[in-house]
Amino acid sequence: MSTEAFSKHFSDVQDPRQTAKISYPLFDVLFLSVCSVICGAEGWEEIQDFGEANLDWLQEKGLFIDGLPTHDTIARIVSRLDPSSFRRCFIRWTQSVSARTSGELVAIDGKTLRRSYHREDRQSAIHMVSAFASQNRVVLGQIKTEEKSNEITAIPDLLALLDVTGCLVSIDAMGCQKSIAQTIVEKKADYLLAVKGNQETLYRSIKQAFAGRLAEPIEANHLQIEKAHGRNEGRVCYVLPATDLTMQHPEWPELKTIGVVISYRQDRKSQKTTLEHRYYISSAALEECEFAEAVRSHWGIENSLHWVLDASMNEDGCPIFADHGAEILATIRHIALNMLRAETSKKASVRRKQKMACMSTDYLDKVWSAGVKILAEQSDE
């Protein structure tokens, strides 16, 4: 298993320690942290436990020749890293191992790390905004914002770091801002934004545009029905060209399509029913099938990223908060998740792969090699 390619991409991360006081090389600690999280470690003590259990394996790779640091030392080193530098290295690595394709959906959404608050202020839990490639389920990048309301300012900062050329970028209603739409267009990508009451005039215009279409009977070929998780669901999607709206709302750049999703849900046990209309705008000229697929794929960031981080990696249960520890460890989880998904020799859930890596360093080698394979190839060129 080669570590040189990974080391090269993370070489810009500055070591916060004084040179004369360095006992454990920074890369050794980062390698240990990533491998530990791949194997299911949830905090500093468990990272140390993994290192102690696999010290011979680590030393065979030329790491920790003089022994292993304690969990307090690991925490001090990792928590004091510059998160901006670490984030840039992560994004550079991700863009190297996962090229974007034209029309691919990139979903952007935020998630609060619920136990990352400072103990004197429960409102200080950090909020991470992530970009997720829905097609191959890869985390492309993330950025921290102090409060959920600040997603509006965090999203352009995240987009500035990413290469989304030719992609369709989807964001929920909080990100439905003219400045964000302009940023996406300037990145030579298209936007798909949910529209709610925070854009009242635009919302009213879209509802009015679809009023006649929604009054017509639903055609069978438009209706999608699913029965799962104890409920019946039906969805209908319609799109219209945004020709009239571009004159009413010229402030929205390159606006070409408006869409609506009608969702009907019935709980089979309680028989409770709900009906919801969700409206969207897009700079892409989308057909109804393309629009339906894009809207559905956007929720992959909830099901394939946020849920997995909680269910498989216990992110919401992690109590780390000091310095930059929570943010750095969140990025390490994203690195680990990307690597686990890159390893395809075993068809298994993320959680099962974590257990296999924990039980077998041979399989851990496979996971690591899968994550850096393209990097290694590029380094050899």
Side-chain angles (χ1 to χ4, degrees):
M1 177 181 69
S2 173
T3 62
E4 292 180 4
F6 189 84
S7 175
K8 179 180 178 180
H9 273 71
F10 282 81
S11 61
D12 290 345
V13 179
Q14 295 297 312
D15 196 321
R17 298 167 292 175
Q18 296 179 19
T19 304
K21 296 182 179 180
I22 294 176
S23 301
Y24 307 100
L26 178 59
F27 177 76
D28 293 19
V29 176
L30 288 178
F31 182 88
L32 170 65
S33 300
V34 173
C35 287
S36 301
V37 173
I38 287 173
C39 293
E42 298 175 5
W44 311 125
E45 293 89 348
E46 292 183 4
I47 292 175
Q48 179 185 345
D49 293 342
F50 171 86
E52 290 175 346
N54 296 279
L55 184 57
D56 291 343
W57 178 76
L58 292 166
Q59 290 181 337
E60 287 174 3
K61 301 181 185 305
L63 309 175
F64 298 110
I65 300 302
D66 297 324
L68 201 73
T70 65
H71 65 268
D72 287 333
T73 301
I74 296 169
R76 281 196 302 271
I77 295 171
V78 175
S79 297
R80 291 171 58 200
L81 295 177
D82 175 32
S84 298
S85 175
F86 196 70
R87 177 171 57 248
R88 287 193 298 269
C89 291
F90 168 78
I91 292 174
R92 184 174 60 191
W93 165 68
T94 304
Q95 289 177 343
S96 296
V97 301
S98 179
R100 308 274 61 78
T101 58
S102 180
E104 181 177 357
L105 186 87
V106 174
I108 295 180
D109 196 17
K111 179 183 184 297
T112 300
L113 279 62
R114 299 191 181 280
R115 292 194 65 195
S116 62
Y117 56 85
H118 291 274
R119 294 307 174 256
E120 68 277 5
D121 179 13
R122 296 182 66 91
Q123 302 301 313
S124 61
I126 71 170
H127 191 77
M128 301 290 291
V129 178
S130 301
F132 184 71
S134 297
Q135 182 176 338
N136 53 10
R137 300 189 301 169
V138 168
V139 186
L140 301 178
Q142 67 290 302
I143 194 168
K144 187 189 84 167
T145 177
E146 294 300 331
E147 299 176 3
K148 192 173 179 64
S149 59
N150 287 336
E151 281 188 20
I152 293 172
T153 57
I155 290 172
D157 291 340
L158 177 58
L159 286 167
L161 298 171
L162 301 176
D163 180 9
V164 291
T165 304
C167 295
L168 180 63
V169 179
S170 64
I171 314 175
D172 63 17
M174 182 171 286
C176 186
Q177 305 289 329
K178 293 182 284 291
S179 59
I180 291 176
Q182 184 63 45
T183 299
I184 294 171
V185 170
E186 289 174 356
K187 296 286 289 185
K188 298 181 180 179
D190 286 306
Y191 59 80
L192 176 64
L193 307 178
V195 182
K196 289 186 178 179
N198 61 327
Q199 296 290 343
E200 185 177 354
T201 305
L202 177 64
Y203 183 70
R204 266 200 320 267
S205 297
I206 298 174
K207 285 184 68 176
Q208 185 177 358
F210 278 107
R213 189 70 178 89
L214 297 183
E216 299 174 2
I218 296 174
E219 299 175 7
N221 62 330
H222 278 96
L223 183 61
Q224 299 176 335
I225 298 177
E226 291 184 2
K227 296 181 179 180
H229 309 294
R231 59 180 180 260
N232 302 323
E233 294 188 57
R235 283 184 300 276
V236 178
C237 299
Y238 297 120
V239 297
L240 290 173
T243 309
D244 293 337
L245 262 76
T246 54
M247 293 185 290
Q248 299 176 44
H249 303 278
E251 67 276 14
W252 292 95
E254 305 294 332
L255 179 59
K256 292 184 178 66
T257 304
I258 59 175
V260 60
V261 178
I262 309 168
S263 300
Y264 172 85
R265 177 178 294 180
Q266 179 188 54
D267 187 283
R268 290 201 291 268
K269 185 176 181 180
S270 67
Q271 295 299 300
K272 181 181 178 180
T273 62
T274 57
L275 182 65
E276 181 183 16
H277 293 70
R278 302 196 302 273
Y279 295 95
Y280 297 84
I281 59 173
S282 179
S283 61
L286 299 173
E287 301 291 337
E288 285 182 352
C289 59
E290 295 171 320
F291 169 69
E293 178 62 27
V295 170
R296 188 167 179 79
S297 295
H298 174 80
W299 298 109
I301 195 169
E302 291 288 348
N303 301 328
S304 298
L305 178 58
H306 296 166
W307 184 86
V308 173
L309 288 171
D310 286 337
S312 298
M313 297 183 171
N314 194 30
E315 182 168 78
D316 269 351
C318 181
I320 291 170
F321 70 94
D323 297 322
H324 302 300
E327 184 177 358
I328 297 294
L329 199 54
T331 304
I332 289 175
R333 290 189 200 98
H334 289 159
I335 294 172
L337 183 58
N338 283 354
M339 285 187 164
L340 286 161
R341 284 185 164 148
E343 203 299 295
T344 57
S345 68
K346 292 282 188 180
K347 292 188 177 181
S349 66
V350 168
R351 186 58 179 157
R352 185 180 166 203
K353 286 182 178 180
Q354 285 182 290
K355 291 182 177 180
M356 289 189 291
C358 185
M359 291 184 285
S360 168
T361 53
D362 287 341
Y363 185 69
L364 177 55
D365 280 334
K366 284 187 176 182
V367 172
W368 186 273
S369 296
V372 299
K373 180 179 180 182
I374 297 178
L375 287 178
E377 291 173 352
Q378 290 178 346
S379 298
D380 291 340
E381 291 177 358

